[in-house]
Structures are given as C-alpha cells and as structure tokens.
Amino acid sequence: MNNGLVFSGVQPTGNLHLGNYLGAIKNWVDLQNKKKCIFCIVDLHAITVSENRKKLKENSKEVAAAYLASGIDPKKSIIFVQSNVTGHSELAWILSCHTPIGWLNRMTQFKDKAGKNKEKAPLGLYSYPVLMAADILLYKSSYVPVGEDQKQHLELCRDIAQSFNRYYENEFFPIPEPIITGSATRVMSLKDGTKKMSKSDPSDYSRINLTDSTDELRKKILKAKTDSLPFPDSDQNIENRPEVNNLINIFCAMTDSRKELVLKDYSGKDFKKFKEDLCEIVNQKISVISAEMKKLLEEKGYLDSILNDGIKKANEIALDNIKEIKKIISFYRI
Ligand code: TRP
C-alpha cells in the first residue's frame, strides 16, 4: 500500500523569498535522490486570495524556474502546474463530502487569513485544506515535506484519508506522513522574529527575495533586527531572542551546519562580523539561483516543455487513481 511517494507544492504568488527556498525547495533537492517525488505548483490554491489572482501564468513559471534553479531535476522528479490535472478539483469535491465542517472550523490558517470578516471570506479559502488533501491523496502519496505552518493541514489530510477508508471499508489511501526538515524550516521576518517571512509583509526589508541584488541583500541583512546583548554562546542564551535565533537558523540552514558549532564559532564576536559572513553566504547561493532563474525564464519554450512533460506524467497517475476511486464509490460508468 505504501508506495513511498513524496508530494509537495508551492503557491505561485510572486516574489519567492528565502523562506520558500530554505523552508521548502532546498529540502526537496536531497529528497529526490532517495524517493520518487512530485513537486507541484499549486495555482488552484493561489486563487483563494484575491491579490494572488493576477499574473498567475508568470508566477507559475517563476516557481518552476526556482525549482529547477535550486536543483530539482525533472529527470528524477515530476514538476507540474496543478490546474492542468483536473483530478485535483475532482477529488477535492469527493473528499469534501467526507470532511465534517467541524474539522475545518479548527483550521487556524483560515482564521488568520479570513480576519474579522469571516462572512465575506470565499468558500474556497475555507475549503482550501480539502484541496490540499486531494493534492496529496490523488497520487496516494506517503510523505509530505511541509513547513510548521502546514502541519495542521496535513493532520486534517490524514483524518480525511482515514475517514474515506473507513467509510468504504478499504485501505485505498495510504496515511501520509509529514517530513519536517532542517533548522530553518520556519524562516521568520528580518524585522520581527515572531512573524513568518512573507511576501505580503509591507516592508521589503522583512524578507530576502530570490531575485534581490547583492546590494539589496546586503542592506537587508545588515539592517536585520538584533539586540544589544552579546552573540549567544548556548541555546539558553537564545531564548526570548527570536530575531537572533532566526538569523542563526538561516546561517545553519544555508551552510548545513549544526547550531552548536555556529554558536561556538561566533560566541564573543560582535554581530557585525556574523552579519557580514551571513551576507556572503546568502549572496553566494541566492545570486547563483537568481541568475539561473533569469536564464530559464528567458529561454523560450524550455520551461513549457518541462512542465508539459510533468503534466503528462502527473495526469497518468491521477487518472488511474481517479478511476479506482470512482469504482470504490460505485459511480455509474458506461
Ligand atoms: N498549502 C501549502 C502552502 O501554502 C501549499 C500546498 C498545497 C501543499 N497543496 C499541498 C503543500 C500539498 C504540500 C502538499 O504552503
């Protein structure tokens, strides 16, 4: 039953930043050498929020370029754009019939995103976690690399899979496991270490975009909030210092190093030196990725051919599974 398949996705919302890279894409590059992976560009999710409904085509291509530039290999992994495989919306409907409203009412992300005026929030924003469950279960995926903020949605996906299996008295859907990786799975704002780095933060100084120039990047890191205490020498000295913790986590994730070692290296030194080194490290990686993204986006037809191939492969699996699911439900078929 467990096919070992990995599924994950990023929304094409424009302005990819360091949080998307360290929290998601970077971790996938290693995974694809160990397991069969499907990496989706989840455009059906993006339209749940009105600002994201513009430039969908360009933004989807930008995410595809970021996947490839970061080292996702289309020969090993399937890369495709969600709206091209109709099974996602089809299965979302079916699963919505197995999802009690009470489960959705617990989702904290909906509460945050809908804000005070819940009555005006679109139904799609509310049922978004069901679509996410459909994404994962459509391929009968076993593993889902996600950031901390998506853990609750994955829990719901597991509940929905179990609910379907129980109702139809079979074990069609594997119960997917989360993979939460790396020390910087949750990259925070450079201005407020208690808030996630986000493309919707009004201050561009709160985030590092994958397309930032060396200059911009430098300014942002050097101006990143810290405090007047010395550089910490142990985990205990980072408690209640969210901005410092965030910068150290970014350093660890970028260099694949353990926190203790970084603390040992910099303890006693001033923040300026640490920030200078961090600029260097971030710049080295990001400048290579952004140059490669630019090249891929300018190369006519190349991304389209990769995505076309991915759509075909994803659709093949999806159609087979949808067929099975319809059989289980015993819908009328000619
Ligand atoms: N909801 C995820 C996010 O906002 C994106 C996503 C959609 C996803 N479908 C998924 C992630 C399936 C993992 C698996 O980050």
Side-chain angles (χ1 to χ4, degrees), residues 181-195:
T181 37
S183 49
T185 47
R186 211 178 150 103
V187 179
M188 312 307 275
S189 154
L190 299 180
K191 293 270 146 211
D192 176 351
T194 61
K195 274 193 353 212

Side-chain angles (χ1 to χ4, degrees), residues 109-230:
Q109 194 176 71
F110 173 76
K111 289 178 199 160
D112 293 346
K113 285 197 179 175
K116 286 194 194 86
N117 209 340
K118 275 209 205 91
E119 294 290 315
K120 286 217 167 127
L123 175 60
L125 186 67
Y126 181 67
S127 58
Y128 168 120
V130 182
L131 178 60
M132 180 164 161
D135 299 340
I136 297 164
L137 299 175
L138 181 58
Y139 303 92
K140 303 175 81 173
S141 317
S142 305
Y143 303 104
V144 186
V146 280
E148 285 282 338
D149 64 318
Q150 296 296 316
K151 259 169 77 179
Q152 195 186 29
H153 291 162
L154 194 67
E155 276 299 317
L156 181 81
C157 171
R158 291 165 57 90
D159 289 342
I160 295 174
Q162 264 154 351
S163 158
F164 181 96
N165 286 353
R166 212 177 308 121
Y167 185 85
Y168 289 104
E169 293 178 352
N170 68 23
E171 309 240 302
F172 184 76
F173 291 125
I175 310 305
E177 307 265 348
I179 305 181
I180 312 259
T181 37
S183 49
T185 47
R186 211 178 150 103
V187 179
M188 312 307 275
S189 154
L190 299 180
K191 293 270 146 211
D192 176 351
T194 61
K195 274 193 353 212
K196 220 181 126 178
M197 185 177 282
S198 154
K199 70 134 211 164
S200 48
D201 193 310
S203 165
D204 199 48
Y205 275 87
S206 69
R207 67 186 154 260
I208 292 167
N209 304 305
L210 293 190
T211 47
D212 278 346
S213 67
T214 304
D215 246 18
E216 285 166 325
L217 213 147
R218 232 184 106 71
K219 265 191 228 148
K220 288 177 178 180
I221 294 180
L222 294 180
K223 284 199 172 162
K225 188 174 170 196
T226 45
D227 52 36
S228 50
L229 298 170

Side-chain angles (χ1 to χ4, degrees), residues 5-12 25 28 32 36-46 56-57 59-68 72-91 131-141 302-319 321-322:
L5 200 84
V6 174
F7 185 98
S8 199
V10 165
Q11 295 191 45
I25 308 170
W28 303 350
Q32 69 179 346
K36 179 80 201 153
C37 298
I38 304 181
F39 299 122
C40 187
I41 296 152
V42 288
D43 55 351
L44 295 174
H45 281 84
L56 272 173
K57 213 183 283 175
N59 290 343
S60 291
K61 282 182 118 175
E62 191 188 48
V63 177
Y67 283 2
L68 298 180
I72 305 287
D73 179 354
K75 289 198 198 76
K76 294 181 187 153
S77 306
I78 298 177
I79 303 173
F80 76 105
V81 182
Q82 186 186 27
S83 62
N84 291 272
V85 176
T86 54
H88 290 260
S89 2
E90 213 175 346
L91 183 57
L131 178 60
M132 180 164 161
D135 299 340
I136 297 164
L137 299 175
L138 181 58
Y139 303 92
K140 303 175 81 173
S141 317
Y302 179 69
L303 281 176
D304 289 332
S305 75
I306 298 285
L307 290 172
N308 234 321
D309 186 50
I311 291 164
K312 266 196 211 126
K313 289 181 181 153
N315 212 15
E316 244 168 61
I317 309 175
L319 285 173
N321 288 339
I322 284 283

Side-chain angles (χ1 to χ4, degrees), residues 99-112:
T99 310
I101 291 172
W103 291 0
L104 286 176
N105 285 341
R106 289 205 291 267
M107 297 297 113
T108 56
Q109 194 176 71
F110 173 76
K111 289 178 199 160
D112 293 346

